[in-house]
Amino acid sequence: MTVLLINIFLVSMMVVIAVLVLRTRRLFAAIVMAGAYSLISAAMFVNLDAVDVAFTEAAVGAGISTVLLLAAMARLPAEEKEGRVQVALPLLICLIAGGMLVVAVFSLPPFGAPDAVVHLHVAPRYLAESNDVLHIPNVVTTVLASYRGFDTLGETIVIFAAGLGVLLLLAGRTRDAAEDDRREEEGE
């Protein structure tokens, strides 16, 4: 019951933040609220026992993406231009996508069913071979570092590249500001 209440609270917060992001016309507020949305998503993943996904969501969604968007915002006007509001096509796409997801949910096996395909494919092999073949007692570590090693390496490279890109953007901004200050002092 507690988990259900936490999930309802987190989803309610996500809905409120999503509506606020859509309603605001200030870029800074939208970026900060999007970061908060990602952080709440990370909390939701923790509540769903997907801690590795939660860590990635917190690092990339709430951390690096927020910093990158704030750096990009520094080069944009603070206010969004008034424009024509086109609601019909995005609303139609959302309704079709939502309907397809609802149909897909009805074809899923019951939650936690031991005869579900996901539990019959490779999971028994991972559980059986983790300690005997790979000599790693923790199955999660075995999956992340051995069976999905290239996937984990790719994720690490993406996070590293994103962090490097943010640092380069921030360094360029600092270098431009320092150059402007130097020119101003010299009276150019």
Side-chain angles (χ1 to χ4, degrees):
M1 185 65 178
T2 304
V3 173
L4 179 65
L5 292 176
I6 291 173
N7 283 339
I8 290 172
F9 174 73
L10 292 175
V11 169
S12 301
M13 292 286 294
M14 291 169 70
V15 169
V16 168
I17 290 174
V19 170
L20 290 174
V21 168
L22 292 174
R23 303 275 312 164
T24 187
R25 300 197 66 78
R26 301 199 55 85
L27 291 175
F28 181 77
I31 292 170
V32 170
M33 285 189 286
Y37 184 91
S38 290
L39 204 56
I40 292 173
S41 297
M44 179 69 97
F45 286 128
V46 168
N47 205 29
L48 294 172
D49 292 332
V51 180
D52 57 330
V53 179
F55 178 74
T56 303
E57 178 66 29
V60 176
I64 292 173
S65 295
T66 302
V67 171
L68 185 61
L69 289 173
L70 287 174
M73 188 194 83
R75 298 180 186 268
L76 296 174
E79 296 281 338
E80 182 181 350
K81 289 182 181 177
E82 292 290 334
R84 262 187 0 192
V85 178
Q86 298 177 352
V87 178
L89 182 61
L91 181 63
L92 179 66
I93 292 172
C94 287
L95 289 175
I96 291 172
M100 291 171 62
L101 288 174
V102 168
V103 170
V105 165
F106 286 115
S107 65
L108 290 175
F111 183 74
D115 59 341
V117 175
V118 70
H119 295 136
L120 299 176
H121 182 53
V122 292
R125 179 178 160 218
Y126 291 167
L127 292 173
E129 292 181 356
S130 177
N131 197 19
D132 296 337
V133 176
L134 299 172
H135 309 291
I136 301 173
N138 188 325
V139 177
V140 174
T141 303
T142 304
V143 170
L144 290 178
S146 181
Y147 294 115
R148 290 183 50 204
F150 288 117
D151 184 40
T152 304
L153 177 65
E155 292 170 351
T156 306
I157 290 171
V158 167
I159 291 172
F160 176 75
L164 190 61
V166 169
L167 289 176
L168 288 174
L169 280 174
L170 293 177
R173 179 75 177 164
T174 305
R175 191 172 36 243
D176 291 345
E179 185 70 22
D180 291 343
D181 290 345
R182 186 188 62 78
R183 287 183 182 167
E184 193 172 293
E185 288 176 2
E186 293 176 355
E188 293 181 4

